[in-house]
């Protein structure tokens, strides 16, 4: 196969078209979210739609440039990219301005860049490089220590140093990658149980959480006590660990989380009614989506949109614009398109012929899935408001460029997969 002449034929253009469809529809909805009767053209730089159009054009150029770069570049310089990214994350708070308590945006003349959006891509490359080594083989949890540290390090820097919780939580997507590479499903189950215990502790207190844990582990131990291949004492140790975790949840909620974060969780769990405060965004978002009914009010005809009831409607809450103007049908169409997109990413991951490309591909699929789930979940009031963009839809050059990097590096690796046979 002639790599130089046939690389364009090998690119998964269907995935590229889905990416462009989502990005263009997102751009149209950004214009709709800020539309008023005095609104200028969607190509004007005086409004966000005009600026997003420029970001969209530059993202297309960026994607084409990435497809021209040799696929071996990412494996060869993976650790260098990661190290430079960690350094930039550390320096960001010294260069950034405080925006709503977050120190994650660097201003470069007329534009602002959020390095955390690019950190996901370079972390995925570094993890793929480490797990893709010829001598690396996953056997037990010890083999995930170094990849885990690679993920946790930028996650902690973003969460603690930059005070950006939403971007940090997206790194949990790498658990799906580790699971696909052999990590026990019990780890994911343990994470789900930890989330349930956190909710129970915060909502009902320590005693109910202790009772639930003792009952669950008691039933499990009773069922498997005589099983020769089950490490019973490990389960007992896990019970003690979860009991300690329950107490830690109370301490963290009261002394670690900031006041606005505690309030958002209390509103979500029904512990506090704050329709004009922490619950305002979600309440207005639900009203906007519900007002669209089945077929929507029509493009540029959303009353909640025109009257600016929903804050951040062209960024984190862009999906409520879809619900109001395009209705249930439009919302389902968007979600189905995202579903097809993510399924194609999984398909791409499955057909890779080397571990580096497969690990990177599953990381990309996981990141897109987590972004979609959290964003739509918070807009619908099912998850706390933590502020992360809807991929290719929300306004912002950093997020669009970050998703473009993630996707087109994957497409470049995928286009070269047949060369692995030579």
């Amino acid at each position: 196969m002639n790599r130089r002449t046939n690389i364009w034929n090998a690119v998964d253009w269907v995935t590229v078209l889905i990416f462009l469809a989502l990005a263009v529809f997102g751009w149209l909805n950004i214009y709709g979210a800020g539309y008023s009767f005095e609104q200028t053209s969607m190509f004007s730089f005086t409004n966000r739609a005009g600026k997003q159009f420029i970001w969209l054009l530059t993202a297309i150029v960026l994607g084409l440039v990435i497809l021209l770069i040799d696929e071996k570049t990412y494996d060869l310089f993976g650790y260098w990219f990661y190290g430079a990214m960690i350094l930039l994350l550390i320096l960001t708070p010294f260069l950034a301005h405080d925006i709503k308590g977050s120190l994650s945006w660097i201003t470069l003349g007329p534009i602002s860049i959020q390095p955390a959006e690019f950190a996901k891509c370079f972390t995925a490359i570094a993890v793929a490089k480490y797990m893709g080594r010829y001598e690396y083989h996953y056997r037990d949890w010890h083999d995930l220590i170094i990849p885990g540290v690679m993920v946790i390090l930028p996650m902690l820097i973003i969460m603690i140093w930059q005070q950006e919780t939403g971007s940090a939580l997206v790194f949990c997507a790498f658990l799906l990658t580790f699971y696909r590479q052999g990590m026990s499903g019990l780890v994911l189950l343990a994470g789900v149980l930890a989330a349930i215990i956190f909710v129970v502790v915060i909502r009902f207190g320590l005693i109910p959480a202790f009772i639930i844990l003792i009952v669950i582990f008691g039933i499990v131990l009773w069922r498997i006590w005589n099983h020769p291949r089950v490490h019973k004492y490990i389960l007992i140790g896990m019970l003690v660990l979860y009991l300690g975790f329950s107490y830690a949840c109370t301490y963290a909620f009261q002394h670690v989380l900031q006041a606005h974060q505690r309030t958002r969780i209390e509103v979500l769990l029904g512990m506090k009614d704050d329709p004009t405060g922490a619950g305002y965004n979600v309440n207005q978002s639900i009203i906007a989506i519900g007002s669209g009914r089945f077929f929507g009010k029509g493009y540029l005809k959303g009353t909640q949109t025109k009257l600016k009831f929903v804050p951040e409607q062209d960024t984190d809450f862009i999906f409520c614009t879809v619900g109001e103007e395009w209705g249930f049908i439009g919302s389902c169409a968007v979600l189905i398109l995202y579903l097809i997109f993510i399924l194609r990413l999984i398909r791409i991951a499955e057909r890779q012929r080397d571990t580096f490309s497969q690990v990177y591909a599953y990381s990309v699929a996981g990141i897109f899935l987590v972004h979609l789930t959290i964003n739509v979940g918070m807009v619908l009031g099912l998850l706390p408001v933590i502020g992360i963009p809807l991929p290719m839809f929300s306004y912002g050059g950093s997020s669009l460029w970050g998703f473009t990097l993630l996707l087109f590096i994957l497409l470049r690796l995928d286009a070269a997969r047949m060369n692995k046979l030579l």
Side-chain angles (χ1 to χ4, degrees):
M1 176 179 176
N2 188 316
R3 300 171 64 185
R4 295 299 179 186
T5 57
N6 293 338
I7 188 66
W8 299 105
N9 295 331
V11 172
D12 190 332
W13 292 109
V14 174
T15 302
V16 173
L17 289 176
I18 297 175
F19 166 83
L20 291 175
L22 289 169
V24 170
F25 193 48
W27 168 56
L28 293 175
N29 280 276
I30 289 170
Y31 181 72
Y35 179 79
S36 64
F37 292 112
E38 298 81 20
Q39 184 77 18
T40 55
S41 166
M42 64 174 61
F43 300 101
S44 173
F45 296 158
T46 60
N47 60 63
R48 284 190 164 184
K51 297 175 183 177
Q52 186 71 4
F53 181 70
I54 298 301
W55 285 118
L56 178 56
L57 292 180
T58 55
I60 294 173
V61 173
L62 175 63
L64 294 175
V65 170
I66 291 172
L67 293 178
L68 292 172
I69 298 175
D70 192 288
E71 75 279 359
K72 295 180 181 178
T73 302
Y74 307 108
D75 191 1
L76 185 62
F77 296 102
Y79 293 151
W80 289 98
F81 292 151
Y82 179 80
M85 179 267 299
I86 291 294
L87 179 61
L88 180 58
L89 290 178
I90 294 173
L91 293 176
T92 295
F94 296 103
L95 305 173
H97 298 288
D98 191 321
I99 300 177
K100 297 181 180 179
S102 173
L103 295 170
S104 60
W105 291 88
I106 299 176
T107 301
L108 301 173
I111 64 174
S112 296
I113 299 294
Q114 188 178 22
E117 290 295 337
F118 306 100
K120 294 167 286 191
C121 177
F122 297 129
T123 300
I125 292 174
V127 169
K129 178 175 175 61
Y130 183 84
M131 299 184 75
R133 296 178 304 152
Y134 179 77
E135 64 272 20
Y136 180 85
H137 298 285
Y138 178 80
R139 289 173 291 273
D140 54 43
W141 66 271
H142 295 90
D143 298 312
L144 289 178
I145 292 178
I146 294 180
V149 170
M150 287 180 172
V151 173
I152 292 173
L153 180 58
M155 182 179 181
L156 291 178
I157 294 174
I158 294 169
M159 180 180 292
I160 299 174
W161 190 239
Q162 298 184 8
Q163 297 293 312
E164 184 65 41
T165 306
S167 297
L169 289 179
V170 175
F171 283 79
C172 294
F174 286 93
L175 286 173
L176 301 177
T177 303
F178 296 156
Y179 172 72
R180 181 59 184 84
Q181 295 307 118
M183 183 184 73
S184 173
L186 292 176
V187 176
L188 296 179
L189 182 61
V192 172
L193 181 58
I196 293 173
I197 292 302
F198 177 83
V199 172
V200 172
V201 168
I202 301 306
R203 182 65 178 85
F204 301 104
L206 280 173
I207 301 302
F210 285 171
I211 293 174
I212 290 174
L213 283 171
I214 292 172
V215 169
I216 291 176
F217 278 87
I219 293 173
V220 173
L221 286 170
W222 175 67
R223 295 286 295 178
I224 55 88
W225 187 259
N226 293 321
H227 198 293
R229 300 184 62 183
V230 177
H231 300 285
K232 296 177 283 292
Y233 298 106
I234 293 180
L235 287 174
I236 295 175
M238 289 179 62
L239 172 60
V240 175
L241 183 65
Y242 271 110
L243 292 174
F245 172 76
S246 300
Y247 179 79
C249 288
T250 301
Y251 179 84
F253 184 75
Q254 296 176 352
H255 303 288
V256 177
L257 294 181
Q258 298 179 13
H260 70 278
Q261 294 172 325
R262 291 196 298 271
T263 302
R264 287 174 178 175
I265 293 175
E266 288 171 343
V267 170
L268 178 68
L269 298 180
M271 301 167 61
K272 180 183 292 186
D273 187 18
D274 191 14
T276 61
Y280 178 80
N281 287 23
V282 174
N283 286 338
Q284 294 300 324
S285 174
I286 293 174
I287 291 172
I289 293 173
S291 68
R293 299 190 177 183
F294 200 75
F295 294 105
K297 298 176 180 176
Y299 185 52
L300 305 181
K301 296 180 180 179
T303 54
Q304 297 294 115
T305 296
K306 282 191 176 66
L307 298 176
K308 312 297 182 187
F309 279 109
V310 184
E312 312 296 339
Q313 194 164 331
D314 54 5
T315 54
D316 299 339
F317 284 83
I318 187 71
F319 190 73
C320 72
T321 303
V322 178
E324 182 181 18
E325 297 191 345
W326 303 92
F328 178 78
I329 293 294
S331 300
C332 287
V334 170
L335 292 178
I336 290 172
L337 192 58
Y338 271 114
L339 175 62
I340 296 172
F341 178 71
I342 292 173
L343 289 177
R344 287 198 69 85
L345 295 182
I346 295 174
R347 179 186 175 189
I348 290 173
E350 284 295 321
R351 70 189 184 198
Q352 297 311 302
R353 300 179 182 275
D354 65 297
T355 305
F356 173 85
S357 299
Q358 187 176 73
V359 170
Y360 179 78
Y362 271 108
S363 299
V364 172
I367 290 169
F368 275 101
L369 177 61
V370 169
H371 262 278
L372 174 64
T373 302
I374 294 179
N375 182 276
V376 175
M378 73 178 188
V379 169
L380 295 178
L382 302 176
L383 294 173
V385 178
I386 57 175
I388 65 171
L390 185 62
M392 287 84 73
F393 243 78
S394 297
Y395 170 79
S398 293
S399 63
L400 183 58
W401 272 32
F403 292 126
T404 302
L405 274 174
L406 276 167
L407 178 63
F408 279 82
I409 290 176
L410 171 59
L411 294 176
R412 182 62 183 89
L413 295 173
D414 178 61
R417 72 184 185 280
M418 297 305 295
N419 295 317
K420 309 298 181 181
L421 298 177
L422 299 180

